[in-house]
Amino acid sequence: MNNGVTPVSELIPETNIIVFSPHFDDLLFMLGGYINELQKASLLATKNFHILLVFSRSNYLAGAGNDNFDISLDRIKLATGKRLLEDIECTDALLGKFNYKYELLGENECFIRGKNLADSEMEFPHGMYDDFNEQDFEIFERMKDRIRNYSVLNDTALIFPTAFKEHIDHFLVREAAIQVSKEPTLERKATFYFQEDKPYGGIATEVEHERINTFINENKLHPKTYICDPEKVIDLAFKYYISQVEEVYKTGIRERARSLQESTQVNSPCDRLYVYRNK
């Protein structure tokens, strides 16, 4: 490690990487920078990626206004079909066609569940435990069961969102993971990682950053900062996710990479993930 930066070869030592991606664009916005660095270092072939798309039934398209509250089957077919194809095309560009496993878990995304938009420059519903309804708690329990099943695997990294700004879907996945990680009866062999999710980290308020810091400190998560290229992530996002991205995404991605570069005192933009080590 140099100047607080972890080389990409040491960042996730496990061979098998299972990504609990809340939405159709979150593999890119969580791990796109890491995957790009693996490729540049000729290390991508040393990893096996398995993407678990959690909230894969969607009615959301960016900038669609009231249509995002239409929960008819026709609307879900339209939004899910577009977002799925965009995600596959982007994942092919990141990992190479047929070089990964891709699985849809079939949960209803936040807008289908009736969640309201947060007061933010970005379209997303904020939510924590107090905002959970019965359907959310049912998903929460299913998520914990899924995570338990994967947590017994050897040589495996499980990747979850850090949930900056508490998008309710990201928060639900994160909290299911941290609860499972602490279960005393679980024979956990996989390593749990929490990757900073973009663009939320770069547009989060001071109060929201403090909540993330509390989560990190209370759960004794160890930060790993690494060099990345935010422009590569932005280019892929705006090339492939044409029905999903907003201009504010560029601001969030760039600002967090700049902030981490400044705090780490290196010459290149950075990204960060956290590892839970209490085995």
Side-chain angles (χ1 to χ4, degrees):
M1 187 180 292
N2 182 27
N3 293 327
V5 172
T6 302
V8 67
S9 59
E10 300 173 17
L11 195 64
I12 301 175
E14 292 80 13
T15 302
N16 305 301
I17 300 177
I18 300 175
V19 185
F20 287 78
S21 177
H23 305 116
F24 286 110
D25 52 10
D26 284 322
L27 173 69
L28 174 66
F29 290 138
M30 288 165 64
L31 287 182
Y34 167 67
I35 292 169
N36 184 49
E37 294 304 312
L38 279 178
Q39 190 171 50
K40 284 161 59 177
S42 300
L43 292 172
L44 188 55
T46 68
K47 304 295 182 183
N48 302 316
F49 280 87
H50 184 177
I51 298 99
L52 300 174
L53 211 299
V54 179
F55 298 96
S56 58
R57 289 177 60 88
S58 175
N59 68 337
Y60 175 79
L61 297 172
N66 288 333
D67 286 344
N68 287 328
F69 299 96
D70 178 356
I71 61 172
S72 67
L73 183 57
D74 283 344
R75 174 65 182 181
I76 293 171
K77 286 179 179 179
L78 174 68
T80 300
K82 283 186 174 183
R83 297 189 69 183
L84 173 60
L85 289 173
E86 289 176 3
D87 199 41
I88 290 172
E89 290 293 312
C90 188
T91 306
D92 284 351
L94 275 172
L95 297 174
K97 216 168 193 178
F98 311 119
N99 287 338
Y100 59 90
K101 294 179 182 178
Y102 188 88
E103 184 176 350
L104 306 181
L105 300 188
E107 298 290 0
N108 286 336
E109 199 178 38
C110 47
F111 291 116
I112 298 178
R113 306 199 311 275
K115 304 302 180 182
N116 293 318
L117 287 170
D119 182 13
S120 172
E121 68 269 47
M122 195 176 143
E123 290 186 337
F124 78 97
H126 177 271
M128 294 186 280
Y129 284 114
D130 288 346
D131 304 289
F132 280 19
N133 58 23
E134 183 177 353
Q135 188 178 9
D136 297 324
F137 279 113
E138 289 172 355
I139 296 170
F140 189 64
E141 292 305 316
R142 285 195 292 272
M143 281 307 309
K144 288 194 288 186
D145 282 341
R146 291 167 178 137
I147 294 165
R148 289 184 192 108
N149 289 337
Y150 286 107
S151 69
V152 299
L153 299 177
N154 285 308
D155 194 20
T156 298
L158 306 183
I159 314 293
F160 307 97
T162 308
F164 271 95
K165 291 184 76 67
E166 294 97 17
H167 184 309
I168 193 166
D169 290 348
H170 290 229
F171 180 86
L172 189 156
V173 174
R174 183 194 83 183
E175 290 298 301
I178 203 65
Q179 283 199 19
V180 170
S181 72
K182 294 180 176 180
E183 290 179 348
T185 59
L186 185 66
E187 299 256 346
R188 183 166 64 86
K189 297 176 183 175
T191 303
F192 286 47
Y193 295 87
F194 296 84
Q195 167 66 49
E196 289 195 359
D197 28 7
K198 293 164 279 294
Y200 304 98
I203 58 173
T205 66
E206 186 176 338
V207 171
E208 289 165 338
H209 274 280
E210 282 303 313
R211 286 203 292 264
I212 291 296
N213 289 336
T214 298
F215 171 76
I216 292 165
N217 293 331
E218 287 183 348
N219 295 295
K220 298 180 174 59
L221 303 184
H222 174 72
K224 288 188 172 186
T225 304
Y226 58 100
I227 300 297
C228 75
D229 181 0
E231 298 307 318
K232 177 68 172 179
V233 174
I234 290 170
D235 288 347
L236 288 169
F238 281 79
K239 178 178 181 179
Y240 291 104
Y241 294 111
I242 55 176
S243 74
Q244 302 174 55
V245 294
E246 307 170 65
E247 282 298 310
V248 69
Y249 283 36
K250 296 178 182 178
T251 301
I253 293 167
R254 287 174 177 146
E255 176 56 26
R256 185 57 177 163
R258 182 207 61 78
S259 174
L260 289 171
Q261 175 184 352
E262 184 178 277
S263 64
T264 312
Q265 299 183 324
V266 293
N267 294 325
S268 301
C270 297
D271 202 346
R272 181 175 287 169
L273 57 69
Y274 306 85
V275 58
Y276 179 75
R277 288 179 166 168
N278 186 24
K279 288 193 177 182

